[in-house]
Amino acid sequence: MGLEKNDLIKRAAEDLKKAKHAIALTGAGISTESGIPDFRGPFGIWTTDHGAERRAYQTYEKFLEDPRRYWEERLNAPSLLGDLEKAEPNPSHTALVELEKMGILKYLITQNIDGLHEKAGSRNLIEYHGSYFKLRCVKCGSRSGIKEIDLEKLRIEEKLPPLCRCGGVIKSDVVHFGEPIPIDAARRSQEEAWRCDLMLICGTSAVVYPFAQLPRLAKKHLVEKETKTESGLYLVKQVPAATIIEVNAEPTPLTEAGISDYLIRGKTGEVLPGIVQEIKGIQR
Ligand code: APR
C-alpha cells in the first residue's frame, strides 16, 4: 500500500485508540468483497441497470396501494443483490467486530440489508435500512425473522399479506425509497451521531438521505477546546466533537465538503484489518 495510505492507517489507529465513543457507519462498499454488488460503484446495480433503480423507487408506493401484490411480486423475484443467504462476511466485517470486542467501537450503523454484520458477530448494530432477513409490522413496528412466517403457504392459500397480531400489515423489514426510517433506528442513530467523538464511515457514497445527514449532524456537535498561543495565552475554541474518517474506494460528497477529516482511499477489506493490526501493534 502507498506510503500516504499507510500513514493514514496509522493516524486512524491512533485516533481510534484515543476515542471515548467511536462509532462506524457502513454502506454497500463494505460487502462487495463478499460478492454482493454495490449500487453506485463502477459495477453497481444502479450503475448497470437504471430501470432497476426506477422500479425500486416505486416499491413502497406499490406496497401502500396493494400489499398483497407487493408480496406476490416479492416472493417471485429474487433479490437484486444475488443470493444473500450464501454470502459470507469478509475481512471488513470481521475487523469491525474486533474493534467492538476491543471496546473501541461502541455502535455500528449500517445501510446494508444483507445481514452480514450480524452474521460476522457485531452486537451493537442498527440496520438503518432494515434487513432482507426480517419482517416488520407497519403498525406496531414489531420485527420477526423471515422464516417465522410461511409466506409461500399464505401465497398458496391466498392469505397474503401476512397480518400482525396487532392487526397491522407485515412487510419486509427492508426500508424502501420513500419509506420512513423506523423510528427506533432513526432515533438511536441520531443519538449516536451526536454523542460520538469518532465516526468511521466505510464503503458508502453518502448520497442517500436521511442516512447521509448523520455525519453532518456529528460535525455540528461542537465542544470547547483550550489551546495555548505562542505568547502563553490560553484560547478557548469551538471545535467539532467528532473526528470523521472515511474509508472508501473513491472520494464522496463528505470528502468534497470537508465533513470528513480525511479519506483513506482503498478497499475496506484491506484498510480496516490494517487499522486493527496497527492498534494491536500500539497495544504491544
Ligand atoms: N472498499 C471500499 N469502498 C468500496 C468498495 C470496497 N471494497 N466497494 C465499493 N466501494 C465504494 C464505492 O466506490 C461507493 O463509493 O462504496 C461506495 C458504495 O456506494 P453505494 O453503491 O451508493 O452504496 P450505499 O452508499 O450503501 O447506498 C446507500 O442507496 O440504493 C440505496 O438503500 C440502498 O442502502 C443503499 C443506499
Side-chain angles (χ1 to χ4, degrees):
M1 282 189 254
L3 186 70
E4 154 88 355
K5 199 190 295 187
N6 272 334
D7 289 347
L8 289 175
I9 286 173
K10 282 192 175 65
R11 181 176 166 189
E14 295 290 346
D15 288 341
L16 276 158
K17 273 295 287 166
K18 272 185 311 212
K20 299 269 178 302
H21 196 95
I23 67 172
L25 270 55
T26 66
I30 204 158
S31 293
T32 52
E33 292 166 77
S34 294
I36 298 175
D38 64 9
F39 298 96
R40 299 174 186 83
F43 309 104
I45 53 175
W46 301 154
T47 311
T48 50
D49 182 352
H50 294 298
E53 184 172 20
R54 236 188 346 273
R55 285 192 296 280
Y57 271 85
Q58 287 146 16
T59 306
Y60 188 53
E61 279 305 308
K62 268 194 197 158
F63 168 76
L64 294 174
E65 267 157 36
D66 183 348
R68 190 189 54 72
R69 193 164 139 242
Y70 161 90
W71 273 112
E72 295 280 1
E73 289 178 8
R74 193 166 181 79
L75 291 174
N76 286 338
S79 162
L80 282 169
L81 296 170
D83 187 348
L84 293 179
E85 308 260 351
K86 287 210 187 74
E88 288 300 325
N90 69 66
S92 320
H93 300 97
T94 315
L96 292 173
V97 173
E98 283 200 73
L99 287 175
E100 183 181 57
K101 286 190 172 132
M102 290 167 161
I104 291 176
L105 199 64
K106 305 295 184 196
Y107 241 94
L108 201 170
I109 309 169
T110 187
Q111 298 172 92
N112 301 342
I113 61 167
D114 56 31
L116 289 181
H117 283 301
E118 200 166 325
K119 216 174 203 176
S122 288
R123 290 279 163 273
N124 294 338
L125 172 67
I126 297 168
E127 291 175 314
Y128 199 77
H129 290 157
S131 166
Y132 176 80
F133 298 100
K134 291 173 187 152
L135 301 168
R136 176 168 38 89
C137 169
V138 294
K139 192 169 167 208
C140 68
S142 64
R143 289 183 182 86
S144 58
I146 199 162
K147 298 218 184 329
E148 289 176 47
I149 296 180
D150 187 343
L151 294 159
E152 204 41 47
K153 187 165 172 290
L154 289 180
R155 189 175 72 80
I156 293 164
E157 294 170 358
E158 302 205 342
K159 286 184 184 157
L160 287 173
L163 297 179
C164 176
R165 278 193 302 280
C166 81
V169 174
I170 290 177
K171 65 178 283 289
S172 163
D173 182 40
V174 170
V175 179
H176 301 297
F177 286 115
E179 179 179 355
I181 303 295
I183 191 67
D184 54 349
R187 195 168 288 150
R188 190 60 203 258
S189 301
Q190 278 173 358
E191 271 169 31
E192 287 301 319
W194 186 257
R195 69 184 289 197
C196 75
D197 62 354
L198 189 146
M199 184 181 271
L200 182 64
I201 306 175
C202 317
T204 181
S205 61
V207 295
V208 170
Y209 285 79
F211 185 87
Q213 198 57 40
L214 294 170
R216 291 167 170 83
L217 177 65
K219 199 79 187 176
K220 280 205 186 75
H221 181 195
L222 302 178
V223 288
E224 293 199 341
K225 188 175 171 203
E226 219 175 54
T227 48
K228 197 172 179 183
T229 61
E230 277 86 47
S231 53
L233 283 178
Y234 279 91
L235 210 62
V236 175
K237 274 197 311 185
Q238 297 266 331
V239 295
T243 301
I244 300 182
I245 307 168
E246 281 186 279
V247 179
N248 206 54
E250 60 186 355
T252 74
L254 298 177
T255 328
E256 258 93 53
I259 300 286
S260 49
D261 294 280
Y262 55 97
L263 161 70
I264 308 178
R265 190 161 186 169
K267 295 172 78 165
T268 53
E270 289 165 13
V271 172
L272 294 176
I275 292 172
V276 171
Q277 286 320 315
E278 273 303 318
I279 291 173
K280 285 179 176 168
I282 300 169
Q283 266 168 346
R284 255 199 297 274

